[in-house]
Amino acid sequence: TQLLEQSPQFLSIQEGENLTVYCNSSSVFSSLQWYRQEPGEGPVLLVTVVTGGEVKKLKRLTFQFGDARKDSSLHITAAQPGDTGLYLCAGGRISGGSNYKLTFGKGTLLTVNP
Amino acid sequence: SQTIHQWPATLVQPVGSPLSLECTVEGTSNPNLYWYRQAAGRGLQLLFYSVGIGQISSEVPQNLSASRPQDRQFILSSKKLLLSDSGFYLCAWSSWLGYTFGSGTRLTVV
């Protein structure tokens, strides 16, 4: 079983601060995805990274995939209350020929206070 | 565009009663479909996945079962619910870019 460890589990910051969330594993993944989930809703895909060392930017969010494709980070610049939510990382691997399976971390619950 | 529908949004069921949650996908054919359970708003546990009609793989032993009677329909069932079946159930379909999740069903077994 491939495990993904996310840290920190909980993060409460003030509006305007920067933050970084980490996702680590001892296993190699073919891709790494980040999702954001609001209470009572399903997770929504933010980004997929597939190449070791890859960096993607989505407005104030910067995602990085580790060189060895075992870890990833999410950095948010100048956090806003609208960034509040559960951030989940998920590692993807091909399984059983055609099935693309994801292993999810337990998430980082971010609260941005105005 | 692809969309995924999941219902009902909330459900309160007594212990020992049956369960049927339905998920349908539009805008794609032969999707890989998944049922996840999420406890206490945290990580997702994969329950079942299906790569085609009638093909179901179970990830964890449990009181639940899944069926895929049509290409874009995925059903999660139980004959007799347990208290421990309470949780937030999510259906999803996958592509190389990632998973698209339904809006979830909050199941409370009382």
Side-chain angles (χ1 to χ4, degrees), chain A residues 27-42:
Chain A
S27 300
V28 176
F29 293 98
S30 58
S31 71
L32 200 295
Q33 295 159 14
W34 285 92
Y35 293 79
R36 178 170 165 269
Q37 184 180 21
E38 297 191 16
E41 298 290 331

Side-chain angles (χ1 to χ4, degrees), chain A residues 4-26:
Chain A
L4 277 169
E5 300 289 338
Q6 284 190 246
S7 61
Q9 293 186 46
F10 302 94
L11 188 57
S12 180
I13 62 173
Q14 294 301 120
E15 182 176 1
E17 293 182 4
N18 301 332
L19 66 113
T20 302
V21 174
Y22 299 93
C23 177
N24 296 292
S25 174
S26 59

